[in-house]
Amino acid sequence: MKKNWFRTVCLIIVFLVTVYYLLPLVVKKDYVKCDIEVYDQNKQKIYEIAEMDYKLGSELYGIAFDEAISLIDVNDSLVVSGRLPDEILRSIDADIDYSQNQNIKVFALEKFSEASLPTWFSEKRLKLGLDLQGGMHLVLEVDTEGQSADVAESSVKGALEIIRNRVDQFGVSEPTIHRIGNNRILVQLPGLRDASRAKELIGKTALLEFKLLANNEDITQTVDAIDDYLENNYDKYAYLKTIKETTEEKSAVEETLFKTDDDLSGEGSEETDEKAEGEVADTTTAILEDKEKGNLFSSLVAIYGQTLVVKPENLDLFRKVVSLQEVKEIIPSGIEILLGKVSPDDPYGARQLYFLYDQVELTGAALKSADVRIGQGMDPKTAGKPYVSLEFDNEGARIFSKVTGENIGKRLAIVLDNIVHSAPRINDKIRNGSAMITGSFTMSEAKDLAIILRAGNLPSPVNIVEERTVGPSLGSDSIKAGFKAAIIGLVIVVLFMVFYYKTAGFIADIALVSNVLIIMALLTMLKATLTMPGIAGIILTIGMAVDANVLIFERIREELDSGKTVRTAIDNGYKRAIITIADANVTTLITAMVLYQFGTGPIKGFAVTLSFGILSSMFTAIVFTKFIFDKLIANKPRKSLSI
Amino acid sequence: MRLLKNIKINFTKNRKIAFIISLSLIVIGIVSIAIHGGLGYGIDFSGGTLFELDFTPADETIDPIEIQELRDCLTSNGYGDSNIQSFGDPHHILIKIIASEDVQQDQIEIVRIIQENFPEFTSDKEMNELVRRSEHVGAQVGEELRGKAFVAILISLLGIIIYIWWRFEFTFGIAAVIALFHDVFITLGLISIFNIEISIPIVGALLTIVGYSLNDTIVLFVRIRENLKIYRKEKYESIINHSINEVLSRTIITSLSTLIVVVSLFIFGGKVIHDFSITLMFGVIIGTYSSIFVASPLLVEYHNWKQKRSLKDRHHRSKKR
């Protein structure tokens, strides 16, 4: 009797846990509140639906973002369906080209959940693998050939930091980045839209360089040269037409409040030449405003405070123009045009623009360390604020001292992988090989910069040795196919069991269905990822799960044949079958464990679902069905059993 | 309902026939592998690049793309070695190239060539719509994975022998493992005959077959172990035969239910796991066959051999005297 009490509690706990993890999958539906605006060719707003709610469907069958948007129907019944994770919601407000001549803008305002489940209720979701939701799987190898073990180790660690940093900036939801083996790094980017860009960003060698900013004359010359060239070769590039049209409206140059720039100064000296900065601002403004015609290129550039920026809507065009081989040839030699880094506050905002001299003054190889410090003293510009302190090795210190000594008052850009991270002004000759980058950093910005600088210090090449990309459409096709196969297989097996074992078969079916639910709950609970082979594993489990019950039922039949009573037949049948079931399942568990050890990605998923399947099927087929049988017999003594 | 009641098929009597069938299946497999010049490794194990491209045209009146046309185009651009086939839907095309010096570059290049030459199928698509899937494995990684897969299969077989040795007898373990090798060899032969490439999921399927077949064999062995204790006086061979008959209906029902879901996976599970489900299908059938016709008869063979030897020993000893 005591044992029965224990079993009942066990069953109730399993039932509650299953409900706890599965209910949110079924009940919860997400809403999003959006403004949707439709523009015509000339960017005139022709249609607007403000602050409407759109249902996004269950997350279990998550449809990728692309599909959600493609279902937008431009009439009164406007539908957005699909699954939009928070991370993607933030990026919706980009233009989406629609049916060639119309532009739709979607502004996501807020996300709501429909189900009124209490907040303490499980927030966990079943995570879908890359093969099911689309995305990218990369294995990178850090080339450590010829390096000593210590150096190789720090090369790999540095590369890991760089990649993590880059992926963070890329803004992918729930990326996985970790080290596998000695010198390999696994990167998984679910739901990724632009695989080639990601690959380029991640696979590139981190190269840290210090370069001087060009002076105003050179900038003017460069801008003029490009403007002239574009004006003269206007017919050659069809896309220039878009610039012409937008410049007609002539975007007003935005003036904002004076903003303090970063300073690069020898430690202890914090002098700034505000007057000089003012002049820079004036002249750069002049570069743009003095021109009356032939300003195709400069119209892509705006002034923000005292810095040149490229607005987000002009970024693509800007990149196209700058990457033209012809343009590279006509700009004054020694000048390089680079963009600043993406701002963490506003990832889709304007990008700063820099004109640099392409001569490399110093590389990251000369950097000894970079750390975040908090400023001391009374100066309001640095006191209590984080800054990045740099230290060069002997050779680096010598060069740095020379460069800073010769270029006081100029700005020195810190360039990582051709992106300018900051361009502080040189206030003093810095002799001791240590420098600091101050400015309006938050603590995490300063930390990031220090990481980039440290990481850039290790220029070991990184190669992509394995790459798998799955598009969102294939992913959702796979899910649909997998669920279809699972449900059809399940239904046939269920019918078969009822047909063959009658009432007992029905009991086994209840166990079978709850087995599938428990596997799903286990996967959700342990934050495992459901992959396509994982679904195959579940389907296979459905077939094999009945085995335990078949074994038990056959034993019971044998016992009944030999003339035992119903109760003894059931008890003996279970007792004898359990040994067989355990022996048979342990060997399958052994193979599942080996698969887990050996497998990568999808195969691991398969092994996990297979093991969960075996364990939970043993539970449901033995404990659960025995419970039902006992209840059946306890209520009214039976002479025969429908089996 | 009872499928089989009180049947008495003499499985062990005709075991020679079963051994001949098994051996000829294995030989056929080996011949096929030899003809194909070894097992066909997919890019997981050989290294290389694979794309699945979506050639669904925007304009529905356009005919699906001709594979020959695509092949000609790639050949004329220096990618003659590529393997091109349609993948289920006539609009979904699979392109495979073997590992080259710079696969990275090849990938970009091939997509560019296709975009230029077949604008009617590709122009209105974003990159991730055109490329439904792309996989690239470096040659060295492929080689490493091959080694790992081999080790994995060996480790799991070793684990199984030890477990069965512990639970039963050493001979049982050996018989079970011979049956497993038998299953794996025949399945590999069938894989070669059906031109399925060996990829990581296929290795997964092979290991699953090992697990499944073993499941079947052990259920039988448990019954044999039981019956050996109960019917001590009976002949070894008839006890085994008796045991097989006793669990036969269980074996058939379980195999049937597993086969149902595997077939459902094969028909409805989608193209991506097609090869995986075919392999499982073979495996379930062969695994069931081997536990009845290979593993248990092997026990009989061993028992007879041992008896003969002990008789001989006795004979020798009596002669000496």
Side-chain angles (χ1 to χ4, degrees), chain A residues 46-63:
Chain A
I46 53 170
Y47 202 85
E48 182 182 342
I49 305 164
E51 291 210 22
M52 297 250 316
D53 293 347
Y54 300 102
K55 207 175 262 184
L56 294 171
S58 156
E59 290 214 1
L60 181 62
Y61 303 98
I63 304 167

PDB file of all heavy atoms in Angstrom, chain A residues 46-63:
ATOM      1  N   ILE A  46       1.005  56.873 -48.800  1.00  0.00           N
ATOM      2  CA  ILE A  46      -0.321  56.799 -49.410  1.00  0.00           C
ATOM      3  C   ILE A  46      -1.324  56.073 -48.527  1.00  0.00           C
ATOM      4  O   ILE A  46      -2.515  56.122 -48.761  1.00  0.00           O
ATOM      5  CB  ILE A  46      -0.276  56.101 -50.787  1.00  0.00           C
ATOM      6  CG1 ILE A  46       0.400  54.738 -50.686  1.00  0.00           C
ATOM      7  CG2 ILE A  46       0.381  56.973 -51.826  1.00  0.00           C
ATOM      8  CD1 ILE A  46       0.248  53.917 -51.949  1.00  0.00           C
ATOM      9  N   TYR A  47      -0.840  55.413 -47.504  1.00  0.00           N
ATOM     10  CA  TYR A  47      -1.740  54.577 -46.736  1.00  0.00           C
ATOM     11  C   TYR A  47      -1.180  54.440 -45.350  1.00  0.00           C
ATOM     12  O   TYR A  47       0.010  54.295 -45.171  1.00  0.00           O
ATOM     13  CB  TYR A  47      -1.807  53.205 -47.412  1.00  0.00           C
ATOM     14  CG  TYR A  47      -3.029  52.396 -47.083  1.00  0.00           C
ATOM     15  CD1 TYR A  47      -4.214  52.575 -47.808  1.00  0.00           C
ATOM     16  CD2 TYR A  47      -2.996  51.447 -46.085  1.00  0.00           C
ATOM     17  CE1 TYR A  47      -5.326  51.818 -47.525  1.00  0.00           C
ATOM     18  CE2 TYR A  47      -4.106  50.683 -45.790  1.00  0.00           C
ATOM     19  CZ  TYR A  47      -5.268  50.879 -46.515  1.00  0.00           C
ATOM     20  OH  TYR A  47      -6.368  50.130 -46.232  1.00  0.00           O
ATOM     21  N   GLU A  48      -2.019  54.493 -44.381  1.00  0.00           N
ATOM     22  CA  GLU A  48      -1.494  54.348 -43.029  1.00  0.00           C
ATOM     23  C   GLU A  48      -2.510  53.666 -42.128  1.00  0.00           C
ATOM     24  O   GLU A  48      -3.677  53.986 -42.129  1.00  0.00           O
ATOM     25  CB  GLU A  48      -1.158  55.718 -42.441  1.00  0.00           C
ATOM     26  CG  GLU A  48      -0.568  55.577 -41.063  1.00  0.00           C
ATOM     27  CD  GLU A  48      -0.249  56.910 -40.412  1.00  0.00           C
ATOM     28  OE1 GLU A  48      -0.171  57.924 -41.136  1.00  0.00           O
ATOM     29  OE2 GLU A  48      -0.117  56.943 -39.189  1.00  0.00           O
ATOM     30  N   ILE A  49      -2.028  52.692 -41.419  1.00  0.00           N
ATOM     31  CA  ILE A  49      -2.881  52.061 -40.423  1.00  0.00           C
ATOM     32  C   ILE A  49      -2.128  52.168 -39.124  1.00  0.00           C
ATOM     33  O   ILE A  49      -1.041  51.626 -38.986  1.00  0.00           O
ATOM     34  CB  ILE A  49      -3.119  50.588 -40.742  1.00  0.00           C
ATOM     35  CG1 ILE A  49      -3.678  50.445 -42.147  1.00  0.00           C
ATOM     36  CG2 ILE A  49      -4.066  49.971 -39.731  1.00  0.00           C
ATOM     37  CD1 ILE A  49      -3.581  49.047 -42.664  1.00  0.00           C
ATOM     38  N   ALA A  50      -2.685  52.888 -38.197  1.00  0.00           N
ATOM     39  CA  ALA A  50      -1.919  53.153 -36.977  1.00  0.00           C
ATOM     40  C   ALA A  50      -2.409  52.322 -35.808  1.00  0.00           C
ATOM     41  O   ALA A  50      -3.597  52.065 -35.654  1.00  0.00           O
ATOM     42  CB  ALA A  50      -1.994  54.632 -36.636  1.00  0.00           C
ATOM     43  N   GLU A  51      -1.455  51.903 -35.017  1.00  0.00           N
ATOM     44  CA  GLU A  51      -1.713  51.242 -33.737  1.00  0.00           C
ATOM     45  C   GLU A  51      -2.750  50.141 -33.813  1.00  0.00           C
ATOM     46  O   GLU A  51      -3.728  50.117 -33.095  1.00  0.00           O
ATOM     47  CB  GLU A  51      -2.137  52.270 -32.689  1.00  0.00           C
ATOM     48  CG  GLU A  51      -0.991  53.175 -32.310  1.00  0.00           C
ATOM     49  CD  GLU A  51      -1.111  53.655 -30.877  1.00  0.00           C
ATOM     50  OE1 GLU A  51      -1.802  52.988 -30.095  1.00  0.00           O
ATOM     51  OE2 GLU A  51      -0.509  54.685 -30.568  1.00  0.00           O
ATOM     52  N   MET A  52      -2.519  49.209 -34.733  1.00  0.00           N
ATOM     53  CA  MET A  52      -3.432  48.064 -34.785  1.00  0.00           C
ATOM     54  C   MET A  52      -2.749  46.856 -34.165  1.00  0.00           C
ATOM     55  O   MET A  52      -1.536  46.764 -34.126  1.00  0.00           O
ATOM     56  CB  MET A  52      -3.779  47.748 -36.234  1.00  0.00           C
ATOM     57  CG  MET A  52      -4.511  48.867 -36.915  1.00  0.00           C
ATOM     58  SD  MET A  52      -6.221  48.553 -37.271  1.00  0.00           S
ATOM     59  CE  MET A  52      -6.238  46.913 -37.905  1.00  0.00           C
ATOM     60  N   ASP A  53      -3.560  45.931 -33.722  1.00  0.00           N
ATOM     61  CA  ASP A  53      -3.005  44.699 -33.157  1.00  0.00           C
ATOM     62  C   ASP A  53      -2.918  43.625 -34.236  1.00  0.00           C
ATOM     63  O   ASP A  53      -3.822  43.472 -35.036  1.00  0.00           O
ATOM     64  CB  ASP A  53      -3.913  44.156 -32.050  1.00  0.00           C
ATOM     65  CG  ASP A  53      -3.925  45.079 -30.865  1.00  0.00           C
ATOM     66  OD1 ASP A  53      -3.057  45.968 -30.809  1.00  0.00           O
ATOM     67  OD2 ASP A  53      -4.808  44.916 -30.009  1.00  0.00           O
ATOM     68  N   TYR A  54      -1.838  42.903 -34.230  1.00  0.00           N
ATOM     69  CA  TYR A  54      -1.721  41.799 -35.164  1.00  0.00           C
ATOM     70  C   TYR A  54      -1.356  40.539 -34.418  1.00  0.00           C
ATOM     71  O   TYR A  54      -0.449  40.531 -33.601  1.00  0.00           O
ATOM     72  CB  TYR A  54      -0.676  42.105 -36.241  1.00  0.00           C
ATOM     73  CG  TYR A  54      -1.048  43.322 -37.011  1.00  0.00           C
ATOM     74  CD1 TYR A  54      -0.441  44.534 -36.768  1.00  0.00           C
ATOM     75  CD2 TYR A  54      -2.087  43.265 -37.922  1.00  0.00           C
ATOM     76  CE1 TYR A  54      -0.833  45.678 -37.421  1.00  0.00           C
ATOM     77  CE2 TYR A  54      -2.498  44.400 -38.586  1.00  0.00           C
ATOM     78  CZ  TYR A  54      -1.860  45.599 -38.330  1.00  0.00           C
ATOM     79  OH  TYR A  54      -2.266  46.718 -38.979  1.00  0.00           O
ATOM     80  N   LYS A  55      -2.044  39.494 -34.742  1.00  0.00           N
ATOM     81  CA  LYS A  55      -1.805  38.230 -34.060  1.00  0.00           C
ATOM     82  C   LYS A  55      -0.614  37.545 -34.710  1.00  0.00           C
ATOM     83  O   LYS A  55      -0.451  37.572 -35.913  1.00  0.00           O
ATOM     84  CB  LYS A  55      -3.041  37.362 -34.208  1.00  0.00           C
ATOM     85  CG  LYS A  55      -3.216  36.378 -33.096  1.00  0.00           C
ATOM     86  CD  LYS A  55      -4.525  35.651 -33.261  1.00  0.00           C
ATOM     87  CE  LYS A  55      -5.599  36.270 -32.389  1.00  0.00           C
ATOM     88  NZ  LYS A  55      -6.858  35.541 -32.439  1.00  0.00           N
ATOM     89  N   LEU A  56       0.210  36.931 -33.896  1.00  0.00           N
ATOM     90  CA  LEU A  56       1.402  36.320 -34.458  1.00  0.00           C
ATOM     91  C   LEU A  56       1.471  34.811 -34.350  1.00  0.00           C
ATOM     92  O   LEU A  56       2.449  34.199 -34.718  1.00  0.00           O
ATOM     93  CB  LEU A  56       2.653  36.916 -33.805  1.00  0.00           C
ATOM     94  CG  LEU A  56       2.826  38.382 -34.147  1.00  0.00           C
ATOM     95  CD1 LEU A  56       3.921  38.971 -33.312  1.00  0.00           C
ATOM     96  CD2 LEU A  56       3.146  38.552 -35.602  1.00  0.00           C
ATOM     97  N   GLY A  57       0.442  34.187 -33.838  1.00  0.00           N
ATOM     98  CA  GLY A  57       0.408  32.726 -33.855  1.00  0.00           C
ATOM     99  C   GLY A  57       1.251  32.067 -32.795  1.00  0.00           C
ATOM    100  O   GLY A  57       2.000  32.706 -32.086  1.00  0.00           O
ATOM    101  N   SER A  58       1.109  30.783 -32.727  1.00  0.00           N
ATOM    102  CA  SER A  58       1.825  30.037 -31.701  1.00  0.00           C
ATOM    103  C   SER A  58       3.300  29.959 -32.038  1.00  0.00           C
ATOM    104  O   SER A  58       3.686  29.784 -33.180  1.00  0.00           O
ATOM    105  CB  SER A  58       1.231  28.636 -31.617  1.00  0.00           C
ATOM    106  OG  SER A  58       2.181  27.758 -31.084  1.00  0.00           O
ATOM    107  N   GLU A  59       4.122  30.033 -31.026  1.00  0.00           N
ATOM    108  CA  GLU A  59       5.556  30.018 -31.281  1.00  0.00           C
ATOM    109  C   GLU A  59       6.062  28.636 -31.647  1.00  0.00           C
ATOM    110  O   GLU A  59       7.121  28.493 -32.208  1.00  0.00           O
ATOM    111  CB  GLU A  59       6.305  30.534 -30.056  1.00  0.00           C
ATOM    112  CG  GLU A  59       6.084  32.000 -29.846  1.00  0.00           C
ATOM    113  CD  GLU A  59       7.319  32.663 -29.278  1.00  0.00           C
ATOM    114  OE1 GLU A  59       8.315  31.964 -29.077  1.00  0.00           O
ATOM    115  OE2 GLU A  59       7.268  33.871 -29.048  1.00  0.00           O
ATOM    116  N   LEU A  60       5.294  27.631 -31.317  1.00  0.00           N
ATOM    117  CA  LEU A  60       5.749  26.266 -31.581  1.00  0.00           C
ATOM    118  C   LEU A  60       5.945  26.048 -33.070  1.00  0.00           C
ATOM    119  O   LEU A  60       6.906  25.435 -33.507  1.00  0.00           O
ATOM    120  CB  LEU A  60       4.736  25.276 -31.031  1.00  0.00           C
ATOM    121  CG  LEU A  60       5.081  23.805 -31.214  1.00  0.00           C
ATOM    122  CD1 LEU A  60       6.361  23.465 -30.489  1.00  0.00           C
ATOM    123  CD2 LEU A  60       3.963  22.935 -30.703  1.00  0.00           C
ATOM    124  N   TYR A  61       5.033  26.591 -33.846  1.00  0.00           N
ATOM    125  CA  TYR A  61       5.146  26.411 -35.289  1.00  0.00           C
ATOM    126  C   TYR A  61       5.770  27.643 -35.912  1.00  0.00           C
ATOM    127  O   TYR A  61       5.415  28.049 -36.999  1.00  0.00           O
ATOM    128  CB  TYR A  61       3.771  26.125 -35.892  1.00  0.00           C
ATOM    129  CG  TYR A  61       3.128  24.922 -35.273  1.00  0.00           C
ATOM    130  CD1 TYR A  61       2.187  25.057 -34.264  1.00  0.00           C
ATOM    131  CD2 TYR A  61       3.510  23.657 -35.670  1.00  0.00           C
ATOM    132  CE1 TYR A  61       1.623  23.946 -33.674  1.00  0.00           C
ATOM    133  CE2 TYR A  61       2.954  22.541 -35.088  1.00  0.00           C
ATOM    134  CZ  TYR A  61       2.010  22.688 -34.084  1.00  0.00           C
ATOM    135  OH  TYR A  61       1.470  21.596 -33.496  1.00  0.00           O
ATOM    136  N   GLY A  62       6.645  28.259 -35.187  1.00  0.00           N
ATOM    137  CA  GLY A  62       7.204  29.559 -35.556  1.00  0.00           C
ATOM    138  C   GLY A  62       7.541  29.697 -37.028  1.00  0.00           C
ATOM    139  O   GLY A  62       8.259  28.899 -37.600  1.00  0.00           O
ATOM    140  N   ILE A  63       7.001  30.698 -37.626  1.00  0.00           N
ATOM    141  CA  ILE A  63       7.340  30.998 -39.004  1.00  0.00           C
ATOM    142  C   ILE A  63       8.361  32.121 -38.960  1.00  0.00           C
ATOM    143  O   ILE A  63       8.246  33.039 -38.170  1.00  0.00           O
ATOM    144  CB  ILE A  63       6.097  31.451 -39.782  1.00  0.00           C
ATOM    145  CG1 ILE A  63       5.010  30.394 -39.680  1.00  0.00           C
ATOM    146  CG2 ILE A  63       6.446  31.700 -41.240  1.00  0.00           C
ATOM    147  CD1 ILE A  63       3.675  30.862 -40.137  1.00  0.00           C
TER     148      ILE A  63
END
